[in-house]
Amino acid sequence: MIYEKIEDAKEDLNWLLKRTTILGNDISTLSQKKIEQIILSLEKIDKNSLNYFYSNLFESLGYEKLSFSKSLDIKCLPTMALIPNLGIVFIYEQLSDGSFKIESKNGKKNIYKFEQNSVFAPIRRIKQVRKYSTAKEMFKEIALKQKKVLFYLAIATFCINTLALGTSLYSMQVYDRVVPTGAISTLIALTIGAVIAMFLELILKFSKSIIQDYSTKTMDLEYSNDIFNRFLKVRCDALPRSVGTITGKLQSYNSVRAFISNAAIFTIIDLPFSLIFLLVIVVIGGTTMGFIPVAFFIVAFLIGFLFRKKIIIASQQSSMASHKKTGLLVETVENIENIKATAAGFNILNNWNKLTKESIDDDIIIKHYSDISTYITQFLQQFSYISIVCIGAYLVTEKGELTMGSLIAMTILSGRILQPISQLPNQFVQWGKAKLAIDDLNNIYSLPSDNEGIERPLNPYLDSKDLLCSELKFSYNEKSQVMQLKHLEIKEGEKVAILGVIGSGKSTLLKILAGLYKPTEGSVYLNSIDIQMIKRDLINDTISYLPQTTKLFAGTLRDNLTFGLVGISDEEIIKASKLTDLIGLINALPNGLDTVVPEGGESVSGGQKQLIALTRLLISNKDIMLLDEPTASMDDGTEKKIISMLKQELKEKQTMIVVTHKPIVLNMVDRIIVLTPKGIVMDGKKEDVLAQLNTNQIKKVIK
């Protein structure tokens, strides 16, 4: 037995998760809450299952599963050991005198031997998966993962094309051997063989289709996951302002995937088999007959490339017009009331028609050049067929160098030679769209993300929730500075109101404090740690941010009240709903919490949206609450109830920072900060700040 008491095991685990040297970088990402949960789970583990428990724990920290044995392999240090009467020990090296350098909860020391029944497990880090820095790199890596599938497709295509040769060879044998000799038994045997080959070809085509669908699905899932995950990690201040355009760009990965799939099959499978069919024609009919399809093959290939540039340019322009149309459509749907109210429908319609015309014109250009290329290729294909028949017939009748069966076989094969070339225009269209999509997605991948430049963001225990701003400046571009702040300190548990004229940077300051924006200059510190170095998950667990405008997500009312939260019971929802009076809305709805809310939440009023957001805020119960005009859309009666409720419900150690233009909201706070575009002009206790301002000045500040 390693431990006699569970308390000893918990003490060791607590040391392991908080102070051990070897895991220092890894355990720094564990929050105090997570550590407490891990220690609590140890109580449910049987003493004989410790090996399994620690194996899973190390795996969750980014290490290989521990494999315990009774012997120590000095070639595999560092090693973790479970030693009777000593507990967890990390073995670093064997010294020249034969002793081992170890670390335990009692500190570092040297020992010469280990107790009987000790077990040892080497510690090996799992190789980190490199993050994609560009969309091009991401597409390439994921496509390369499909090498095995591509190999299967190549085998299937090889078999299909090999069996397809059976039709040609069947015709050749029938005309050369059966017809002249009247060998019916041979005809039956050849026909049975040809039918079997046809069925096998059919089965292989189905199999190829299934494999290709599997590959497409796999790539689609990986592409969409990586792209959307990267987008979600983009820092809010770096996000493009055109919602619709970026929506179109995010969805454009489909064109890249389609090009990768089709181009791979075209280049690696279809095109090589054209050359194989050429070789078969040479074998059957000699170099003279082989020269004919070779010449037409080269001419068709050159014609396909002749229109390449124009097709690619038109494809890219068509994609850009499509993105703009998507952007205009999204903006129109979101602002349809304003458009109608301002009679701006004709402007929107004119823009829509203009973009539609541009898109159609580009599509016509693409179709025009694609058709020209396709028609010429088809003409060459027919010309090749006629040439083979003509010259072949001459060789059969006059020279006797070719049999009738060989001629028929070659005419069948000639059609398959130029078939891949006819796909070139479509390949160029897909390449043009794929290239534009990669460039667009590269722009998204280049946007700064949360914790930008920090390889291992911190997830420390926050023993205080003090906020400190130092030398802050923020601007969306070099010419327009939105906010500046020399020094601001907000202690844990303070209730603060931020006042100021429009454009003084109040909302921007809240977003910076929430870690959503990164200051252009200066830093924000939480518990004396730069907030940009703290893991986003910990920020989310610590800080609640309520924006000016509340938007609901498509789903049920319950979904919107628990969005982003885990383990919330109906009792907690009802309790918070009673505090905010949202319970009245829940009771009035036909399906209560299960009532479906449409996208954007337009089925409820602005005031009801704010009640839903405030209720969710209470349910989440974070240590720091940042509120931007929390009662702006409420009537006076509801507003008074909400303010009274918040003042009563907020805990002593909960910090609240509220931006407001309403004097009644000041009843919730103890401190007032007056902000201007040039910085803080007043900061102090509510009574002191109000005393410095007369009624007219207050109205100017908060309006």
Side-chain angles (χ1 to χ4, degrees), residues 49-226:
S49 303
L50 278 175
N51 295 8
Y52 180 75
F53 172 81
Y54 279 109
S55 182
N56 288 335
L57 174 61
F58 270 71
E59 186 180 29
S60 69
L61 292 173
Y63 291 83
E64 293 182 7
K65 274 197 169 187
L66 299 181
S67 179
F68 287 93
S69 65
K70 294 183 179 180
S71 59
L72 171 64
D73 186 350
I74 59 172
K75 298 188 296 297
C76 297
L77 298 180
T79 290
M80 175 182 171
L82 293 175
I83 301 175
N85 304 319
L86 195 56
I88 298 175
V89 166
F90 288 99
I91 307 165
Y92 291 96
E93 63 176 317
Q94 186 176 28
L95 303 177
S96 56
D97 61 356
S99 64
F100 294 93
K101 185 177 179 181
I102 69 164
E103 180 186 17
S104 69
K105 64 177 179 288
N106 299 318
K108 296 179 180 179
K109 63 178 181 178
N110 298 346
I111 63 173
Y112 285 89
K113 64 177 182 177
F114 301 101
E115 294 287 338
Q116 193 175 3
N117 298 325
S118 298
V119 289
F120 307 89
I123 302 171
R124 298 186 183 91
R125 248 199 176 286
I126 296 174
K127 187 177 179 181
Q128 294 294 316
V129 178
R130 187 166 57 92
K131 294 180 179 178
Y132 305 118
S133 56
T134 64
K136 183 178 179 181
E137 183 181 318
M138 181 270 296
F139 282 117
K140 180 181 175 182
E141 289 294 323
I142 292 177
L144 287 174
K145 291 180 183 177
Q146 301 300 311
K147 286 186 294 185
K148 191 174 182 180
V149 176
L150 194 62
F151 176 71
Y152 293 148
L153 284 173
I155 293 175
T157 307
F158 176 82
C159 295
I160 289 169
N161 284 285
T162 302
L163 291 169
L165 286 171
T167 306
S168 307
L169 298 176
Y170 170 76
S171 301
M172 185 175 71
Q173 294 301 320
V174 168
Y175 279 97
D176 285 348
R177 298 193 179 187
V178 176
V179 174
T181 61
I184 301 302
S185 59
T186 303
L187 176 63
I188 293 171
L190 287 172
T191 303
I192 292 173
V195 171
I196 292 172
M198 287 167 56
F199 273 111
L200 288 174
E201 184 182 355
L202 180 64
I203 292 170
L204 284 169
K205 284 179 177 178
F206 280 126
S207 301
K208 177 185 174 182
S209 177
I210 292 170
I211 293 171
Q212 199 166 349
D213 289 344
Y214 170 79
S215 174
T216 299
K217 178 182 176 182
T218 302
M219 283 195 292
D220 262 1
L221 288 172
E222 290 201 51
Y223 287 147
S224 62
N225 174 74
D226 197 89

Side-chain angles (χ1 to χ4, degrees), residues 45 76 93 160 234 266 316 380 474 544 565 612 633 703:
I45 301 297
C76 297
E93 63 176 317
I160 289 169
V234 174
F266 174 79
Q316 291 177 339
L380 291 173
F474 182 83
S544 289
L565 305 175
I612 292 170
S633 301
K703 285 186 178 180

Side-chain angles (χ1 to χ4, degrees), residues 47 110 249 279 307 352 572 577 649:
K47 293 179 180 179
N110 298 346
K249 290 180 178 180
L279 181 61
F307 301 108
W352 177 265
E572 292 175 276
S577 299
E649 291 297 322

Side-chain angles (χ1 to χ4, degrees), residues 221-292:
L221 288 172
E222 290 201 51
Y223 287 147
S224 62
N225 174 74
D226 197 89
I227 291 168
F228 202 65
N229 184 49
R230 182 66 183 83
F231 172 70
L232 289 174
K233 286 181 168 53
V234 174
R235 207 173 58 236
C236 290
D237 59 296
L239 284 171
R241 299 302 161 194
S242 177
V243 178
T245 302
I246 197 171
T247 300
K249 290 180 178 180
L250 287 171
Q251 294 176 332
S252 63
Y253 73 88
N254 287 314
S255 59
V256 183
R257 190 266 306 148
F259 174 75
I260 289 172
S261 300
N262 294 329
I265 293 171
F266 174 79
T267 307
I268 301 173
I269 299 172
D270 291 338
L271 197 58
F273 266 99
S274 290
L275 302 177
I276 291 174
F277 290 137
L278 273 173
L279 181 61
V280 173
I281 288 179
V282 172
V283 171
I284 294 174
T287 54
T288 302
M289 295 300 294
F291 176 77
I292 297 170

